[in-house]
Amino acid sequence: MGEHAEEKETADQPTKRKVDWRAGGGRAAGILASVVRWAGLIFAAILVLHVVFVIGEANAGNGIVSFVRGWADGLLLGFKDLFMPEDAKLRVLINYGIAAIFWMVVTGIVAKIIRRVGGAN
């Protein structure tokens, strides 16, 4: 009668499972890599949308157009004056297009590195 419930072993008690920390780390690396890829895709989409607005001569006073322009200018990094053709639309197309490709390539590489280091498949 002096036995405690914690000390009493019965056949119907489940055994403790071992935690596979490597599998959890692999899943976390996979999620982080996916977030990085999505961020690159969103950044590239903002840049491409800005190019569409400029080529289509969208109203610069519109809230959406100015919001996209603000974000696109921030994401442009050092590509703003990389090429300087005479035509302003061509200049935006080339420089912002290169920046969009840059974001897709760089985030793709970073995502692969995260997956390999984290052990994700």
Side-chain angles (χ1 to χ4, degrees), residues 9-112:
E9 291 185 28
T10 60
D12 57 315
Q13 281 183 338
T15 58
K16 290 187 177 183
R17 295 185 319 177
K18 293 184 180 180
V19 176
D20 185 10
W21 291 104
R22 287 186 181 171
R27 276 186 249 125
I31 291 170
L32 181 60
S34 295
V35 168
V36 168
R37 287 290 297 193
W38 275 103
L41 180 64
I42 291 168
F43 292 169
I46 290 170
L47 290 163
V48 169
L49 191 57
H50 176 67
V51 169
V52 169
F53 286 160
V54 169
I55 291 175
E57 297 179 1
N59 178 11
N62 182 284
I64 295 171
V65 175
S66 62
F67 175 79
V68 170
R69 183 182 57 237
W71 272 94
D73 288 343
L75 296 171
L76 194 55
L77 301 177
F79 296 103
K80 183 170 182 140
D81 297 327
L82 187 61
F83 294 100
M84 298 294 294
E86 293 296 321
D87 185 21
K89 291 180 182 180
L90 182 60
R91 185 179 322 127
V92 168
L93 174 66
I94 292 171
N95 293 329
Y96 284 76
I98 290 172
I101 293 169
F102 166 81
W103 280 110
M104 292 299 296
V105 169
V106 167
T107 56
I109 291 169
V110 170
K112 280 189 178 191

